[in-house]
Amino acid sequence: METVLLLGPLLFGGWVILRGRRRLRRAARLRSAGISVPGSVECLERYTPPRGGELFRPVVSWSTADGTRMRQTSAVGRRQADLGPVRRGAEVTVRYDPAEPAVMWTEGWDVISRGDDRWSWAAVFFGVFVCVSAAVQMVVTAV
């Protein structure tokens, strides 16, 4: 019975590892093969996360190298006090994946540098910790 109960944390840890790894791979792909182009902030979208509060995410437009006009909302939300120079009409640099232009990050807003990967790495290590803890607990209860 304990083994079945420990499968939940094991699956959760695996899910966290996969999410963190996905973000790290996307960041690496954008750093190595991404194309930087000028863009502009069309507006700031209000977002209310499940835990409450109010965050803002920039809606950015830019043109790809082949001239396709793109418009994307950042996945990263910040409080109004943390917006800095990101305002409606602000010029920004967009880095996008040429194979999949919807995968983009606004430089200076989204995670783009190796140093900014710390939360993704923390997620991976946390997931590994949860999985190892669950596995050790399975072994201990089986003995």
Side-chain angles (χ1 to χ4, degrees):
M1 181 63 179
E2 290 95 12
T3 304
V4 173
L5 292 175
L6 291 172
L7 285 177
L10 198 59
L11 292 173
F12 173 72
W15 177 78
V16 171
I17 291 168
L18 291 175
R19 290 267 306 175
R21 185 170 177 259
R22 180 175 166 237
R23 288 182 54 85
L24 288 168
R25 289 180 78 196
R26 183 188 320 180
R29 188 173 69 230
L30 284 173
R31 277 193 295 272
S32 66
I35 297 174
S36 292
V37 295
S40 64
V41 177
E42 290 188 5
C43 63
L44 293 170
E45 178 183 90
R46 290 177 193 261
Y47 170 70
T48 304
R51 67 181 182 276
E54 184 177 61
L55 299 178
F56 294 88
R57 301 185 300 192
V59 178
V60 180
S61 62
W62 75 97
S63 293
T64 62
D66 66 1
T68 304
R69 193 78 179 137
M70 300 293 296
R71 183 177 191 265
Q72 188 76 18
T73 302
S74 173
V76 177
R78 295 188 182 168
R79 296 175 303 160
Q80 190 167 11
D82 299 331
L83 293 177
V86 177
R87 302 268 187 254
R88 182 184 169 142
E91 297 298 315
V92 294
T93 300
V94 173
R95 190 160 182 97
Y96 73 94
D97 183 347
E100 191 178 349
V103 175
M104 58 73 76
W105 281 346
T106 304
E107 291 186 18
W109 182 268
D110 298 294
V111 176
I112 194 68
S113 70
R114 289 190 193 281
D116 289 337
D117 288 342
R118 65 184 171 271
W119 290 111
S120 298
W121 278 113
V124 170
F125 287 123
F126 175 73
V128 169
F129 173 77
V130 169
C131 288
V132 169
S133 298
V136 166
Q137 189 64 32
M138 285 178 165
V139 170
V140 168
T141 56
V143 170

